Amino acid sequence: MKWMKNLYVSPLMQRDVKKIMWKLNHGAGILGTYLIILSTNEKNQLDIINAAYMKQRYYRRREIYVVGLADSYDDAIQLLMQIVEETYALTGGADVKSYLKQREANV
């Protein structure tokens, strides 16, 4: 699992980011937390998944790139909207994957 350096985080998660990242990196299950990840297929750009899914073999074997953390599905949707709006405002387009990769490269 890889983490974006400038991670998008919902307000209620700000104080626990390091702890949550550590738990996910070490295979601990976390309930009630959602991850925004770069999509693992070519048709989509981003996916929202429950952090508990990271215990499944499918996700453990994939190279997952996390761009955001949220404490509820609704907050994950809000973060996703923020990312898309930011992408459109700065690039004039909707290629979120490319924008996030470029943003990460500039850090």
Side-chain angles (χ1 to χ4, degrees):
M1 181 181 326
K2 292 185 179 180
W3 298 86
M4 187 170 178
K5 290 179 185 131
N6 288 328
L7 198 62
Y8 291 89
V9 182
S10 65
L12 293 175
M13 302 283 290
Q14 292 288 340
R15 62 187 169 101
D16 296 328
V17 172
K18 297 284 186 200
K19 183 167 113 178
I20 292 168
M21 289 172 67
W22 186 90
K23 285 183 175 184
L24 288 169
N25 285 333
H26 291 87
I30 300 177
L31 298 175
T33 300
Y34 289 83
L35 306 176
I36 300 172
I37 63 171
L38 290 182
S39 182
T40 55
N41 68 45
E42 296 298 319
K43 292 183 181 180
N44 300 331
Q45 295 191 52
L46 297 172
D47 291 327
I48 298 174
I49 62 169
N50 191 311
Y53 291 170
M54 297 308 293
K55 302 264 310 161
Q56 295 178 1
R57 184 175 298 160
Y58 173 84
Y59 287 102
R60 285 184 296 182
R61 291 184 176 176
R62 301 283 186 275
E63 185 64 39
I64 303 295
Y65 191 78
V66 181
V67 299
L69 282 173
D71 62 325
S72 69
Y73 188 79
D74 290 339
D75 279 348
I77 295 292
Q78 292 295 320
L79 277 179
L80 193 58
M81 288 174 31
Q82 176 187 340
I83 294 168
V84 171
E85 289 171 357
E86 182 180 305
T87 301
Y88 185 75
L90 295 175
T91 67
D95 190 0
V96 176
K97 262 187 180 180
S98 295
Y99 168 71
L100 291 173
K101 288 178 182 178
Q102 176 191 3
R103 183 175 182 248
E104 190 70 5
N106 292 336
V107 173

